[in-house]
């Protein structure tokens, strides 16, 4: 051995391994793509099996319609609607317009009377809120749901 300091084999203490920027960017890109794929695969949560807000909408529609004056005869708008088949046929189009103005655009509805129904057929399995209003001539059932 010769005089002098011993020679170190390997890396110096100041040498550090570094990743190149394209490798770092590619890694971040892969993580983002996998995250988006996971979000698409998981999807959005299903609406709750019992949505109390839908019941509130149905009750509000029933309350408004039960308090509105009739357009032609009867004590209330719903009373007029349930009086006879003739009055139902006459009032059904106006009722549809009124209910659509009361509900948010993202809800569908069905109103059933002793003489017929207005609105949409509720799909099987759709979570719906419901309300029933009793009139002099029968019951009116109001259902509201998300499409």
């Amino acid at each position: 051995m010769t005089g002098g300091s011993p020679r170190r084999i390997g890396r110096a203490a100041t040498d550090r391994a570094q990743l190149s920027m394209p490798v770092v960017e590619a890694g971040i890109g892969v993580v983002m793509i996998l995250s988006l794929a996971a979000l698409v695969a998981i999807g959005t949560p299903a609406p709750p099996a019992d949505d109390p807000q839908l019941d509130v909408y149905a009750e509000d529609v029933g309350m408004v319609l039960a308090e509105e004056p009739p357009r032609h005869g009867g004590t209330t708008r719903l009373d007029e609607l349930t009086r006879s088949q003739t009055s139902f046929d006459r009032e059904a189009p106006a009722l549809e317009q009124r209910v659509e103005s009361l509900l948010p655009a993202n809800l569908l509805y069905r109103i059933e009377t002793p003489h017929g129904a207005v609105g949409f057929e509720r799909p099987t399995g759709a979570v719906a809120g419901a309300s029933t209003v009793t009139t002099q001539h029968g019951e009116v059932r109001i259902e509201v749901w998300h499409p």
Side-chain angles (χ1 to χ4, degrees):
M1 211 169 188
T2 63
S5 64
R7 195 167 178 179
R8 184 174 222 185
I9 300 177
R11 295 186 182 161
T14 58
D15 289 347
R16 295 187 180 145
Q18 293 183 352
L19 292 174
S20 66
M21 282 309 288
V23 171
V24 172
E25 290 171 350
I28 291 172
V30 167
V31 169
M32 288 181 67
I33 290 172
L34 291 176
S35 298
L36 289 174
L39 284 174
V40 169
I42 292 172
T44 58
D50 183 23
D51 192 346
Q53 183 62 43
L54 293 174
D55 287 330
V56 171
Y57 282 126
E59 290 170 7
D60 287 350
V61 167
M63 187 179 304
V64 168
L65 295 176
E67 297 295 322
E68 283 188 342
R71 291 175 9 119
H72 297 98
T75 56
T76 67
R77 189 166 197 158
L78 288 182
D79 183 54
E80 179 180 24
L81 196 67
T82 59
R83 281 187 108 146
S84 67
Q85 186 65 48
T86 304
S87 66
F88 174 81
D89 293 340
R90 181 185 65 230
E91 295 301 316
L95 177 69
E96 287 185 71
Q97 290 177 348
R98 181 64 175 131
V99 173
E100 287 175 6
S101 72
L102 293 173
L103 290 174
N106 66 335
L107 294 178
L108 296 178
Y109 65 92
R110 182 169 181 85
I111 299 178
E112 297 176 352
T113 73
H115 302 291
V118 296
F120 306 91
E121 288 290 329
R122 184 168 58 98
T124 304
V127 176
S131 175
T132 302
V133 178
T134 303
T135 69
Q136 292 178 345
H137 305 288
E139 289 188 342
V140 177
R141 179 166 172 80
I142 302 162
E143 292 183 325
V144 177
W145 66 92
H146 293 283

